[in-house]
């Protein structure tokens, strides 16, 4: 019975060690940090990002966050499209380019 438990414990330890690392999570900025980033010209204002997005995906903006991810600042937008679907779109906050979710 002990060899089976030893094998099971070793198998679990191996699986835990060989699992892929969790993807990098985005750290969103506070409202004060967002205002500072916009005032310093490091990012475009949210209104500009919304205009760019509206041209590509008409709908209602439900949520917008300015976050740091993959070494750059991004807007993470949640949009309710005209066909009733909720879409998550990522926009490069430095230039307004849609980089994911369309």
């Amino acid at each position: 019975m002990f060899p089976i438990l030893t094998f099971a414990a070793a198998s679990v330890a191996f699986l835990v060690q060989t699992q892929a690392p969790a993807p990098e999570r985005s750290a969103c900025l506070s409202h004060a940090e967002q205002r500072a980033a916009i005032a310093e010209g490091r990012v475009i204002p949210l209104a500009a990002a919304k205009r760019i997005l509206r041209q590509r995906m008409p709908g209602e903006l439900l949520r917008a966050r300015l976050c740091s991810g993959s070494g750059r600042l991004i807007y993470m937008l949640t949009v309710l499209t005209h066909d009733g679907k909720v879409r998550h779109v990522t926009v490069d906050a430095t230039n307004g380019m849609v980089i994911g979710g369309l």
Side-chain angles (χ1 to χ4, degrees):
M1 180 161 190
F2 289 112
I4 293 173
L5 291 176
T6 304
F7 176 74
S11 297
V12 169
F14 176 76
L15 289 174
V16 169
Q17 291 176 358
T18 59
Q19 287 183 350
E24 178 184 332
R25 296 207 23 101
S26 299
C28 296
L29 281 65
S30 69
H31 290 292
E33 292 169 325
Q34 290 176 32
R35 283 191 298 275
I38 292 169
E40 294 167 2
R42 291 187 293 141
V43 299
I44 63 172
L46 177 60
K50 286 171 41 176
R51 276 193 304 275
I52 293 166
L53 178 63
R54 198 174 305 124
Q55 293 171 355
R56 305 251 333 251
M57 179 187 296
E60 179 183 347
L61 183 65
L62 300 177
R63 183 175 186 191
R65 294 174 288 159
L66 178 58
C67 303
S68 170
S70 302
R72 61 181 163 188
L73 291 172
I74 56 174
Y75 280 113
M76 297 174 57
L77 308 175
T78 303
V79 178
L80 177 62
T81 62
H82 288 218
D83 61 358
K85 294 180 181 176
V86 174
R87 304 286 301 265
H88 301 281
V89 181
T90 305
V91 175
D92 186 319
T94 61
N95 58 22
M97 177 191 247
V98 177
I99 55 177
L102 285 181

